[in-house]
Amino acid sequence: MSGGDSLAFEISPNPAPVSDVERAALLADPGFGRLFTDHMVVIKYQKDKGWHEARVDPHGPISVSPAMAALHYAQEIFEGLKAYHCADGGVSLFRPDENARRFQRSAERMSMPRLPEELFLTSIEKLLDVDRAWVPTQDEASLYLRPFMFASEVFLGVRPAHECLYMVIASPVGPYFSGGVQPVTVWVSDNYTRAAPGGTGEAKCGGNYAASLAAQAEAIEAGCDQVVFLDAVERQWVDELGGMNVFYVYDDGSLVTPSLTGSILPGITRESVITLAREAGHEVIERPYSMREWRDDAASGRLREAFACGTAAVITPIGAVKSPAGQFTVADGGTGEVTGKLRAELLDIQHGRTEDRHGWVRRIA
Ligand SMILES: *Cc1c(COP(=O)(O)O)cnc(C)c1O
């Protein structure tokens, strides 16, 4: 039983919302992921009842049993998307139906119930109904939405939980990297991989992130911003960064991005970039891409640009690559022209500053 397509939401307004003056001050410099809006969505799932009890509650702590399954076996998935302030004063989402479908695929991989696509979309709209004043209006800022689901059953036996909680919280955010849009330096880890064939690399689950933190710490230690993860079998093919997909721009105008092998998270930004680049006349090739060709083609100058992409960081140039074996830069280490153009075009579509040729933008207010 799944149910839930037409659940009514019970709305409990926050009795003490942040004042207009205080919110304006907070939104002037939101940072990333440290501020939260006044409300949150909660929907319950039980195996014998399906989806039930949909609520919009004041944002706040939830009380759970120390025997709750997710705390022990990490049965948890999430999504990340943004609400954008539009040029005409409205608010929009970018391809939220794709997030809804990916959430279902992640749920299947983690043996969790599928949340109906309509309920996913409605839950986000309900939250934005009450918290739309939290959508920042300045350039490069947005309201980051975090839908997630976890095994809420109180049970220590190892099997798919019979009870889950789906929630959505929202956080106003500025640029992901504190330095603004500047090229990042990435670290190639010898010691750690992120996802193996048959594993959970394709699912957006917290466990993948937990597993990536040791490598990320190593990167910071080496003076880098992010980790490049290589495939777990041969340790030579580029998979992705811990939370972003990667692209390479060649001197003949073609783009290369690692093909989706099962250990790579299929990014919605990745897919959008492929579409936009092809429209702009670039050939885009999805194929395995080795660390050796990254190094050799950067050295020969054939590789002109490299960038990472994802909802949080949009498109971020990769200026330099470090590993225990040494270090190299991509071209002059700056922001390449193709990278800059794709980034600007994507942001223009998301913020309603240019025509939405693909029906990617969903207006909600
Ligand atoms: C979310 C995520 C991405 C980027 O996906 P988008 O849909 O573009 O935001 C890339 N890699 C990992 C591991 C992710 O979790």
Side-chain angles (χ1 to χ4, degrees), residues 32-33 36 76-84 93-110 112-117 119-121 123-124 127 143-150 165-171 173 176 194 200-209 243 245 264-270 310-312:
F32 192 94
F36 298 95
E76 188 270 355
I77 59 170
F78 66 93
E79 269 302 324
L81 67 166
K82 287 171 169 174
Y84 302 91
L93 300 170
F94 184 70
R95 310 186 75 179
D97 47 322
E98 293 290 337
N99 296 95
R101 285 194 282 273
R102 187 169 66 191
F103 198 61
Q104 292 185 332
R105 294 197 302 274
S106 297
E108 255 161 45
R109 179 63 185 84
M110 303 304 283
M112 302 178 89
R114 283 162 62 101
L115 184 76
E117 191 178 323
L119 193 50
F120 181 97
L121 297 172
S123 70
I124 286 167
L127 185 58
L143 183 62
Y144 186 78
L145 298 157
R146 168 54 59 86
F148 61 108
M149 169 163 48
F150 55 92
L165 221 50
Y166 165 78
M167 302 183 70
V168 190
I169 55 175
S171 172
V173 298
Y176 185 69
R194 173 186 168 272
T200 57
E202 239 174 1
K204 213 169 172 71
C205 65
N208 290 341
Y209 279 74
N245 298 112
I264 296 177
L265 197 290
I268 297 162
T269 317
R270 174 187 181 278
T311 297

